[in-house]
Amino acid sequence: PQKRVVLADDDPDARAMLLEFLAKFGFKAIEAFDNGRDALEFIRDHAAEVGLVIADWEMPGLTGIEVLRALRSEQRFEHIPFVM
């Protein structure tokens, strides 16, 4: 089964473009957030279901690099690919 993609970007146009792009590549389960804090909370609550994280560099709450650092600080998230 396909795992979820978590997308975090505060720009609504960029988020929409990435959602369309991911759908065209066959991704069906995409969770989109407009800030890093909500994305990180979702990932922590659904760790086993997440297969890819895509995050913007600059976002309110937590930046993409802060989300990446938080995930890499916990061993249970080491396997999840992260694209910024």
Side-chain angles (χ1 to χ4, degrees):
Q2 190 181 84
K3 292 196 171 200
R4 293 176 190 243
V5 175
V6 173
L7 170 61
D9 196 318
D10 61 321
D11 181 331
D13 293 331
R15 213 171 38 251
M17 179 190 67
L18 287 165
L19 285 168
E20 182 179 337
F21 183 75
L22 290 166
K24 284 183 180 180
F25 276 95
F27 292 97
K28 294 176 179 63
I30 306 165
E31 302 295 332
F33 300 93
D34 63 0
N35 67 77
R37 190 172 315 280
D38 290 344
L40 181 59
E41 183 178 323
F42 179 87
I43 296 164
R44 286 185 169 146
D45 291 344
H46 301 89
E49 301 169 26
V50 176
L52 174 63
V53 177
I54 301 172
D56 185 18
W57 184 266
E58 283 293 322
M59 293 182 289
L62 288 176
T63 66
I65 195 71
E66 290 169 325
V67 173
L68 176 60
R69 286 181 181 144
L71 292 176
R72 292 303 180 247
S73 71
E74 296 183 45
Q75 187 176 9
R76 67 184 176 136
F77 301 122
E78 288 180 344
H79 69 283
I80 300 175
F82 195 104
V83 177
M84 192 163 324

